[in-house]
Amino acid sequence: MVRGVLRGRRVGAGSDVVRVSPGERGAAQSIAAGLRAASEGQTVLVAPGLYHEELLVDGAVRLRAERGPGSVSLVPRTPLRITAGATLTDLTLAGTDPAEPLLRIEDGGAELVGCVLHGGRIETTGESRPVLRDCRLTGARLAGLYATGGTVVLLERCVVTDVDGIGVVAGESAQATLRDTWIGPVTGSGVRARGTARLDLAGGTVVAAGRNGILAEEAASVTGRDVAVSRSGGDSVFASGTTRVELTGCRLTDPAGAGVVAADRSQLALTRCDVDRAGATGVVCRDEAEVGVVAGSVRGCAGNGLLVTDRGVVTLTDTVLGDSTYSVLHVGGAGRLTATGAWVGPSAEHGLHAIGAGRAELTGGRVHGCGLAGVSTADGAEVTATGTVLAANRNGVVVGADRPVRLTGCVVDASGRAGVQVGVGATVELTECRIDRAGTAGIVFEQESGGTVDRCAVHDAEGSGIVVWTGAKPQVTATSCTTGAKNALFVAEGGGGRFVDCVFTASAYPAIHIGAGATPAVVRARIRDTELDVDVDPQAKPVFEEIRLTEVTRSLLPPTALAAAGQPGHLAAAGGPAVAADPSTGSTVGTEAAVPTEADLPELLAELDSLVGLDRVKQDVQAQIKLMQTVRRRQEAGLASPPLSRHLVFAGNPGTGKTTVARLYGRLLAALGMLERGHLVEADRTTMVGEYVGHTGPRTQAVFRRALGGVLFIDEAYSLVPPGHTNDFGQEAIATLVKLMEDHRDDVVVIVAGYPLEMSRFVASNPGLASRFSRTLTFEDYGPTELTDIVEAQCRRHEYQLADDARGAVHALFAGMAHGHGFGNGRAARQVFQRMTEHQAQRVADLVDPSTDDLLRLTASDVPAAGSVA
């Protein structure tokens, strides 16, 4: 071997260049000679040709092909060694044994630019810091590049191809960074990290790896950004040991095996990644591994979309999973799954299948188009879902586990068969859920099953609303069953259960059927709009108490089972307690209220009339009510209905009673039969708009679902379209809202509220809004007299008395306030009252023996100073 020794000699023309050209006079006759002649920092130019030399580059020189790429070929019998910060440019290195190293970088910050290495691998060892740019590695065996020791290597815009083994290996404590680098085809894995090595992939492609695209083992770590891994012969990504793999913006497509596998105690995080067309399962989490997926997708898998088993833990956030051959989400063993905002389906099997001791928690999101069930459980599995939509599945939910399935605020829509099917001996807990358009029955309790159904609604079932089979004993409260094709409630032979404060409406068969030997208790139920109230087998032993009938053609209930005439009953609206408003202040107090009927209309109109001020608003609301009464009468007479928009814009400053009027408006429409419940759901930008892509739609849908049958009141609605933010997520909320209003035009009333000028801009921001919000009610600021009346109403409510001098002082205080943009109105009145009670408390505390009159009376001295209240 000839060593290139730095002796300071000059060969050739030019003080900074040493030229190598065999046979040329004045030039170095070999590369080795050129290296001996070159000083540190000089360039060694190599003339075109084939060079058979053994070289050690141990100086910081620049070795370059004089005529560019392909002109110089170096064929060493032993590896070319570099131990210094040398630069090699446009050279071709060819090995004689592909299984042996062709280039070994042992120390220093060597740099290879535009080089081609064929027939052997690159090894980087020790503490070297090599950089390869625009290089091509091909024809090696075992590995294309192998980094060990504490080396730190960078490949930038390189190609590693035709390797009979692994493309790039980082072992021991090495660090390897690949930027915009192509790897493949290779017969082994595309890249492999082991030991405590770190592998960083930025851009680039791993294609046609014979085994795994990315392999992480032992205690290594891998990060990847915007990497494409395709057509792997095994899994796209495989992590084991205690490795940590973090991938962002990557696409993993067409692996023969799984898309991603996390095994042992590895940790794997996928952010905005797509897993497409896996030959097996999309994402596998097993042993004690942890997987997190954020804003990504898993589609077209030949197995499951996601499989978590053993003691694996998976978290999904705003992820789309579907088109899988088996169940989209499968949780088994003692695995744990938490999914927020996930869109699941379609699938030939289940959307979520939980078995063994698996546990799954769904929040928001949608499960749709599944051939067996949206959610299915067995063994000891446990599932909790909150605010999730399960749509167009063969069965919405099938409970077959020993532990209950808990659904809260969910919508189960358009199931081909049962909306919720509770299997033999199983239990379910349904709270504030809606089961619509089930192909057979809304909720089915099979033999010996049970559970609770609280404040739910079952609509438009093709069979019965709730079915209770032999030995089943569910507890059902404050739940409605509406427009079923058979019975609203069907209790089979030997069935039982307790049904309290329920509403059974418009069933094609008798509202309630009770079979032989059945023992259900039906308490404080309302039966409406049906031919026959009950059909009871003579051998049954039901209990009926305080049943209210409305528009029932024929009743078989005994008189003792009916609520007394004029008795208001205790029915809570399905979906939760109503909230009543103080008409003088707009504050709310919790009460359980029945769904209003037409008999309640005069009382509701009187409550509207009792509100302080708002004369113009009262007239507008009363005009709307009269219009809707006329529309209903025309419908009953078989006449065509005029165009009618129930959605409203409430324009005005804060504290002018907008929320109070919205709540009354909903109850008035319920009394007219235009809304099912008439409850109010309040929302604003924070409850509708998400923080990242894909988050806003599910949030807006969840708020809208809670308002079905009532009023959705969106305060400060103009904040959904902030000026100058054309790409704001609020636009997605508006688009979702407009679509939902169209799909549920008869099921909900939407009221948008805010400052007058801002609301004009809001309505004009979207053609869909302008066509749906064609009527605006203007809430004018309260005058001094009206604000004083509100203070007096507060006094009556809280057992105070306003002295004559205090009333005058309060009126003068309000008369002196500026009523500009954002004036507090009712809020200001309540603040004045609160300050007065605080001042009175300080004054009375100084009295030795205060009388009852002292404790009751508010005087002029208690009125706060001007400017202290907004």
Side-chain angles (χ1 to χ4, degrees), residues 718-851:
Y718 51 82
S719 64
L720 296 175
V721 283
H725 295 270
T726 56
N727 295 324
D728 184 79
F729 291 147
Q731 295 287 355
E732 182 183 350
I734 291 174
T736 303
L737 178 65
V738 169
K739 177 65 165 58
L740 291 169
M741 290 171 68
E742 177 63 25
D743 292 344
H744 302 276
R745 63 171 66 93
D746 297 326
D747 299 329
V748 74
V749 166
V750 179
I751 297 176
V752 291
Y755 296 116
L757 290 178
E758 285 84 345
M759 291 309 298
S760 297
R761 173 178 60 81
F762 168 73
V763 173
S765 68
N766 185 294
L769 294 176
S771 65
R772 287 165 176 82
F773 294 101
S774 58
R775 187 172 183 83
T776 299
L777 273 61
T778 302
F779 288 69
E780 298 176 349
D781 288 341
Y782 290 122
T785 299
E786 294 165 332
L787 292 169
T788 304
D789 290 342
I790 293 175
V791 172
E792 284 198 306
Q794 288 284 307
C795 289
R796 289 191 297 272
R797 180 181 174 193
H798 296 282
E799 297 186 351
Y800 284 88
Q801 294 177 357
L802 195 64
D804 291 340
D805 63 342
R807 178 177 175 81
V810 169
H811 190 282
L813 174 65
F814 287 132
M817 285 184 178
H819 289 214
H821 182 81
F823 175 64
N825 287 287
R827 181 187 63 201
R830 292 188 290 276
Q831 288 178 347
V832 167
F833 170 73
Q834 181 178 349
R835 297 284 182 84
M836 291 177 70
T837 60
E838 293 169 354
H839 293 169
Q840 187 237 33
Q842 295 294 326
R843 176 170 54 80
V844 171
D846 295 333
L847 300 178
V848 177
D849 186 18
S851 65

Side-chain angles (χ1 to χ4, degrees), residues 329 336 409 423 792 826:
L329 307 175
R336 300 290 182 267
E792 284 198 306

Side-chain angles (χ1 to χ4, degrees), residues 322-344:
D323 296 319
S324 59
T325 302
Y326 300 152
S327 298
V328 181
L329 307 175
H330 183 97
V331 183
R336 300 290 182 267
L337 168 65
T338 301
T340 302
W343 283 58
V344 179

Side-chain angles (χ1 to χ4, degrees), residues 641-734:
S641 300
L644 179 65
S645 176
R646 302 180 296 178
H647 310 300
L648 299 173
V649 178
F650 282 7
N653 279 332
T656 49
K658 296 188 292 293
T659 306
T660 301
V661 173
R663 185 173 288 108
L664 267 173
Y665 185 63
R667 292 181 61 75
L668 284 163
L669 294 184
L672 289 171
M674 308 295 283
L675 286 177
E676 181 185 349
R677 291 161 51 194
H679 65 293
L680 183 78
V681 173
E682 297 184 56
D684 57 19
R685 178 183 172 88
T686 61
T687 57
M688 298 174 66
V689 177
E691 300 174 358
Y692 38 80
V693 173
H695 196 205
T696 296
R699 286 172 69 99
T700 302
Q701 291 173 17
V703 171
F704 193 91
R705 287 196 301 273
R706 293 200 300 272
L708 288 172
V711 173
L712 176 60
F713 181 80
I714 306 175
D715 199 12
E716 298 182 349
Y718 51 82
S719 64
L720 296 175
V721 283
H725 295 270
T726 56
N727 295 324
D728 184 79
F729 291 147
Q731 295 287 355
E732 182 183 350
I734 291 174

Side-chain angles (χ1 to χ4, degrees), residues 181-442:
T181 290
W182 174 285
I183 297 178
V186 297
T187 61
S189 296
V191 295
R192 178 186 184 186
R194 58 185 302 182
T196 60
R198 292 174 54 188
L199 181 60
D200 185 13
L201 311 174
T205 300
V206 179
V207 62
R211 299 186 67 184
N212 304 305
I214 299 173
L215 175 62
E217 298 174 302
E218 299 171 357
S221 64
V222 177
T223 60
R225 296 174 299 281
D226 303 318
V227 179
V229 181
S230 64
R231 293 188 284 126
S232 302
D235 308 318
S236 290
V237 179
F238 187 95
S240 62
T242 59
T243 59
R244 179 166 181 83
V245 178
E246 298 182 10
L247 303 180
T248 303
C250 297
R251 185 165 187 186
L252 316 174
T253 59
D254 299 303
V260 173
V261 177
D264 300 327
R265 289 183 292 129
S266 61
Q267 296 180 329
L268 197 150
L270 304 176
T271 302
R272 300 191 306 280
C273 293
D274 298 323
V275 179
D276 291 337
R277 300 182 298 277
T281 292
V283 177
V284 177
C285 179
R286 70 187 195 211
D287 303 321
E288 298 180 48
E290 298 180 9
V291 173
V293 183
V294 177
S297 68
V298 181
R299 296 188 176 94
C301 302
N304 303 112
L306 166 73
L307 170 64
V308 52
T309 187
D310 301 324
R311 300 183 65 85
V313 176
V314 174
T315 301
L316 302 177
T317 304
D318 296 327
T319 300
V320 177
L321 307 98
D323 296 319
S324 59
T325 302
Y326 300 152
S327 298
V328 181
L329 307 175
H330 183 97
V331 183
R336 300 290 182 267
L337 168 65
T338 301
T340 302
W343 283 58
V344 179
S347 167
E349 293 191 351
H350 305 289
L352 166 62
H353 189 41
I355 64 173
R359 183 173 299 171
E361 180 178 346
L362 308 180
T363 302
R366 180 182 179 89
V367 182
H368 67 281
C370 298
L372 295 180
V375 172
S376 175
T377 66
D379 305 324
E382 185 173 356
V383 171
T384 300
T386 303
T388 302
V389 176
L390 299 103
N393 304 294
R394 188 179 186 216
N395 292 281
V397 178
V398 175
V399 186
D402 299 334
R403 300 180 65 85
V405 170
R406 297 179 176 90
L407 305 182
T408 302
C410 295
V411 173
V412 183
D413 184 38
S415 304
R417 301 189 68 181
V420 177
Q421 182 173 329
V422 188
V424 175
T427 59
V428 72
E429 296 177 13
L430 306 178
T431 305
E432 295 185 348
C433 294
R434 187 179 179 97
I435 297 95
D436 289 342
R437 301 185 296 167
T440 54

